């Protein structure tokens, strides 16, 4: 399974459901993603969280079981010959997840956790660090350096917005070239950037109607990759239902984004 080359003419895409809810749903989403991205010649990495550790409420869905979900991710990768990624939350999870996926994602809230970054680096996998909602883009130099100092030069950085007020996020697109100047590929998370956390209901809100706006701006600025969570029926998804892009809208959006990429190239 070949990982995307960030220096290629097109952006690459990290996409999939927020959480692995079962094999049938994962394979169904992956099949559609593969069909669309092959048509548009977009390198694809399939994403799915095997466990949701950061939940607003204790009764929120957290997963179907670590080994079961990771095995589904492996099956998706092998069946479609795709690289895969998932997020990890504790040091001991790094080696475990690395047995199943090709890229380890560090959640934004954990981007400063030195031992977690070192553990991810030690696996030899690509480490994709999401920028904390509380950090400036230039501050990601230190998170990146922790992985490099651990002997792994495969580091990606992901922009996902910064905290704005109490229940919203905002993307400062100046951060993309700022982080690219550090020497790592930069990805724009088009769905989590539109979260509205800390709602009174205890369920995170979102503004999915703005996904296209965020994505178009990111491609115009020259981002290396895009991250999107998608589901064939977001309203019924067990995690991040308010933020995911409906799967049937993906091809139309990506078609527009490829045109923008070609124009700026």
């Amino acid at each position: 399974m070949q990982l995307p080359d960030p220096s290629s003419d097109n952006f690459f895409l990290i996409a999939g459901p927020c959480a692995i809810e079962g094999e049938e749903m994962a394979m169904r989403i992956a099949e559609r993603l593969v069909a669309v991205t092959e048509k548009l010649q977009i390198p694809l990495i399939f994403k799915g969280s095997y466990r949701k550790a950061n939940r607003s409420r204790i009764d929120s869905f957290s997963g179907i079981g670590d080994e079961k979900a990771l095995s589904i991710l492996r099956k998706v990768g092998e069946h479609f010959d795709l690289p895969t990624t998932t997020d990890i939350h504790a040091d001991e999870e790094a080696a475990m997840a690395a047995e199943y996926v090709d890229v380890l994602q560090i959640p934004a809230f954990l981007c400063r956790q030195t031992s977690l970054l070192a553990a991810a680096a030690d696996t030899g996998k690509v480490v994709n660090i999401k920028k904390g909602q509380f950090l400036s883009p230039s501050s990601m130099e230190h998170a990146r350096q922790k992985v490099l100092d651990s002997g792994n030069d495969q580091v990606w950085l992901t922009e996902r917005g910064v905290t704005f007020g109490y229940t919203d996020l905002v993307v400062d697109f100046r951060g993309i070239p700022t982080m690219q100047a550090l020497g790592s590929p930069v990805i724009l998370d088009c769905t989590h950037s539109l979260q509205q956390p800390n709602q009174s209901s205890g369920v995170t809100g979102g503004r999915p109607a703005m996904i296209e706006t965020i994505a178009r701006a990111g491609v115009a600025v020259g981002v290396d990759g895009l991250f999107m969570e998608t589901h064939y029926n977001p309203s019924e998804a067990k995690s991040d239902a308010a933020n995911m892009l409906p799967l049937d809208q993906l091809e139309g959006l990506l078609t527009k984004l490829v045109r923008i990429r070609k124009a700026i190239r």
Side-chain angles (χ1 to χ4, degrees), residues 109-159:
F109 282 124
L110 300 176
C111 69
R112 286 175 50 92
Q113 296 296 104
T114 302
S115 60
L116 179 60
L117 291 168
D122 287 345
T123 67
K125 300 287 186 176
V126 173
V127 182
N128 179 23
I129 313 172
K130 286 198 167 185
K131 181 176 72 63
Q133 300 93 322
F134 44 84
L135 286 180
S136 68
S138 59
S139 296
M140 288 299 288
E141 174 185 2
H142 307 298
R144 174 179 179 271
Q145 192 64 45
K146 290 174 184 179
V147 177
L148 298 178
D149 289 345
S150 298
N152 188 337
D153 63 358
Q154 300 182 96
V155 190
W156 298 347
L157 304 176
T158 294
E159 170 62 62

Side-chain angles (χ1 to χ4, degrees), residues 19-20 49-55 57-66 69 89 238-239:
I20 298 297
S49 295
Y50 72 91
R51 187 200 309 159
K52 301 303 295 183
N54 178 13
R55 302 283 78 198
R57 301 189 325 206
I58 197 169
D59 60 347
S60 296
F61 173 80
S62 61
I64 60 175
D66 293 355
H89 321 92
K238 295 181 179 179
S239 180

Side-chain angles (χ1 to χ4, degrees), residues 61-230:
F61 173 80
S62 61
I64 60 175
D66 293 355
E67 186 176 354
K68 183 177 181 180
L70 286 167
S71 294
I72 290 170
L73 280 166
R74 175 189 280 167
K75 185 170 184 177
V76 168
E78 292 175 347
H79 182 80
F80 294 102
D81 193 27
L82 279 179
T84 56
T85 185
T86 196
D87 38 341
I88 59 173
H89 321 92
D91 302 4
E92 62 272 14
E93 295 179 27
M96 175 184 71
E99 293 292 320
Y100 296 87
V101 301
D102 306 284
V103 177
L104 296 178
Q105 178 179 290
I106 307 298
F109 282 124
L110 300 176
C111 69
R112 286 175 50 92
Q113 296 296 104
T114 302
S115 60
L116 179 60
L117 291 168
D122 287 345
T123 67
K125 300 287 186 176
V126 173
V127 182
N128 179 23
I129 313 172
K130 286 198 167 185
K131 181 176 72 63
Q133 300 93 322
F134 44 84
L135 286 180
S136 68
S138 59
S139 296
M140 288 299 288
E141 174 185 2
H142 307 298
R144 174 179 179 271
Q145 192 64 45
K146 290 174 184 179
V147 177
L148 298 178
D149 289 345
S150 298
N152 188 337
D153 63 358
Q154 300 182 96
V155 190
W156 298 347
L157 304 176
T158 294
E159 170 62 62
R160 55 137 311 151
V162 293
T163 300
F164 183 73
Y166 292 94
T167 58
D168 211 349
L169 297 169
V170 66
V171 175
D172 181 350
F173 287 94
R174 297 174 300 177
I176 292 172
T178 297
M179 289 192 289
Q180 286 173 325
L182 299 176
S184 290
V186 174
I187 300 152
L188 174 61
D189 185 336
C190 304
T191 46
H192 289 99
S193 293
L194 293 164
Q195 280 186 333
Q196 294 178 312
N198 303 318
Q199 299 294 307
S200 59
S201 64
V203 178
T204 297
R207 302 180 67 193
M210 300 294 290
I211 291 172
E212 180 172 334
T213 300
I214 293 286
R216 289 173 63 145
V219 172
V221 170
V223 75
D224 300 291
L226 297 174
F227 178 108
M228 296 183 194
E229 289 184 341
T230 184

